[in-house]
Amino acid sequence: MTDEPTLTPDLTESAAEAQATELATLAARRDALKEEIQALEAAFHRLARRCCQDLEEKQQALQLTIEQLERRKERIEQELRQNFVGASQEMAIRVQGFKEFLVNSMQDLAATVEELQLLPAPAPAAEHETPPAATSPPKLVLDEGFQEETSRIKHLLEQYQTNPNYYGPPWQLRRTFEPLHAQRVESWFFDLGGRGALRSLPSRLQNILVASAIISILRDFYGDMLRVLVLADSPERLGDWRRGLQDCLGINRQDFGPERGVALFESADALAFRADRLEQEDYLPLILIDDSQEKVSLSLLQYPLLLGFAPEPQLRRTNELFE
């Protein structure tokens, strides 16, 4: 039986030294990693501080730039206001002068034409000759204050309130109609006889709704002979009227224009000139005046169908002008 090998003291000491060396190496590596991590953390903090400082400097620079731009904007706006006001005043003076010249010229021309006898005197009719039947324009219901059409008007208003037709033909009212709106329409037809001012409703759209109901009723009486002329003091308000009438009556942009069913005007003189032409051509003009008009031009008071909207303080004064 062989004896088991035994470790010599030299081998045991060598293994211990190797382990000690390895532990020392690992400890050194650990210390080196700690130092490296600390160095990285320090570098990261320095970088973060530098980035924050750069961002703060950029923010301050942007803030300064914004303040400079705002001051520049205010200065430019002030210059634009001053220049625009001056140019507008000069343009308004020129336009007013030209308008007065044009109106005076038209008045002189009208007076001259009235003095001319353009047609020969009619020859006397033979004793037994029957004169030809004269063609006359259709009878205006407004001559009798719409009394003969009272039942028809009230029937249409009741239909608008109780049985609205949202998909009806063009020029027929297509929107929900309330008793308040119906009262305004009845007042215009029966109290004002189709010529006067109504108290403006809280919004322009409601005024347009009332006007649309009146247009729808008059179109029921006169058909294509009715022509609507709208007066407002700015393109924006005229745009509101165009969109509102399209929505309430189911018409489109092709129905707007000097030769169409609806014409839009910023000038009372231009509207009156167009209304004269329409009457000469046997059309019936309906004049609608937006509540933005502070005064009613005297040239508009000669037409039989006139609807103006006026705020409460101006209603009495405006109605006096219509009388």
Side-chain angles (χ1 to χ4, degrees):
M1 186 172 182
T2 60
D3 296 332
E4 293 181 359
T6 58
L7 297 175
T8 63
D10 294 336
L11 292 176
T12 302
E13 292 177 0
S14 176
E17 291 177 358
Q19 290 179 356
T21 302
E22 185 177 359
L23 289 174
T25 302
L26 291 174
R29 290 181 60 186
R30 181 193 61 189
D31 295 339
L33 288 174
K34 285 183 178 180
E35 293 177 356
E36 185 176 354
I37 290 173
Q38 291 175 354
L40 288 174
E41 288 179 351
F44 174 78
H45 289 308
R46 288 195 299 272
L47 179 62
R49 286 195 298 270
R50 188 179 302 113
C51 291
C52 290
Q53 184 178 0
D54 292 342
L55 289 175
E56 290 177 356
E57 293 176 354
K58 290 181 180 180
Q59 182 182 8
Q60 294 175 358
L62 287 174
Q63 185 66 32
L64 180 61
T65 303
I66 291 173
E67 294 176 357
Q68 293 176 348
L69 290 175
E70 288 179 348
R71 289 195 296 269
R72 182 180 179 187
K73 174 188 173 185
E74 293 176 357
R75 185 167 59 253
I76 292 174
E77 288 179 348
Q78 183 178 3
E79 293 177 357
L80 285 175
R81 284 195 298 268
Q82 293 174 352
N83 296 335
F84 179 76
V85 170
S88 298
Q89 291 177 350
E90 182 180 358
M91 184 180 296
I93 293 173
R94 292 182 180 180
V95 171
Q96 182 66 25
F98 176 75
K99 184 175 72 173
E100 293 176 356
F101 167 77
L102 183 61
V103 171
N104 293 334
S105 299
M106 293 298 297
Q107 290 175 348
D108 294 341
L109 179 61
T112 303
V113 170
E114 289 178 356
E115 295 176 358
L116 297 177
Q117 186 171 353
L118 301 179
L119 298 177
E127 184 176 354
H128 300 287
E129 183 179 357
T130 302
T135 59
S136 59
K139 172 178 172 292
L140 298 181
V141 297
L142 54 90
D143 290 340
E144 300 176 2
F146 296 98
Q147 297 304 314
E148 294 183 0
E149 284 70 26
T150 299
S151 59
R152 177 62 179 166
I153 293 173
K154 290 187 176 181
H155 172 74
L156 289 172
L157 289 176
E158 182 179 359
Q159 176 182 328
Y160 296 158
Q161 296 177 76
T162 60
N163 189 25
N165 187 354
Y166 299 111
Y167 304 98
W171 299 103
Q172 179 177 314
L173 189 67
R174 294 186 174 190
R175 287 292 169 261
T176 302
F177 206 61
E178 301 295 338
L180 174 64
H181 307 135
Q183 291 174 4
R184 293 286 203 281
V185 175
E186 288 186 357
S187 177
W188 185 78
F189 274 108
F190 304 132
D191 297 336
L192 301 177
R195 183 171 178 272
L198 295 176
R199 180 163 54 89
S200 180
L201 288 159
S203 68
R204 180 170 291 108
L205 182 58
Q206 293 190 56
N207 291 341
I208 296 173
L209 179 61
V210 171
S212 298
I214 292 174
I215 293 171
S216 181
I217 293 173
L218 293 176
R219 290 279 300 197
D220 187 77
F221 294 152
Y222 299 108
D224 293 338
M225 291 187 60
L226 181 73
R227 296 299 174 90
V228 181
L229 309 179
V230 182
L231 177 65
D233 65 353
S234 71
E236 292 78 13
R237 292 187 173 93
L238 290 176
D240 292 341
W241 275 93
R242 178 182 58 78
R243 289 185 293 271
L245 292 175
Q246 285 183 229
D247 181 67
C248 293
L249 296 173
I251 58 180
N252 54 45
R253 295 180 69 93
Q254 296 179 354
D255 293 304
F256 291 82
E259 306 297 332
R260 305 292 182 178
V262 182
L264 308 176
F265 297 90
E266 293 183 65
S267 167
D269 293 332
L271 187 150
F273 181 77
R274 182 58 189 155
D276 289 339
R277 293 287 303 274
L278 289 172
E279 287 189 333
Q280 293 173 7
E281 297 170 1
D282 292 333
Y283 287 101
L284 180 61
L286 167 63
I287 298 172
L288 304 177
I289 302 176
D290 184 68
D291 60 4
S292 60
Q293 298 292 318
E294 297 182 356
K295 297 181 180 179
V296 179
S297 174
L298 295 177
S299 61
L300 304 182
L301 303 183
Q302 58 182 311
Y303 304 106
L305 291 179
L306 186 65
L307 168 60
F309 292 97
E312 184 70 30
Q314 301 177 4
L315 180 62
R316 184 173 182 180
R317 177 169 55 86
T318 308
N319 273 332
E320 290 175 355
L321 288 177
F322 280 126
E323 296 176 354

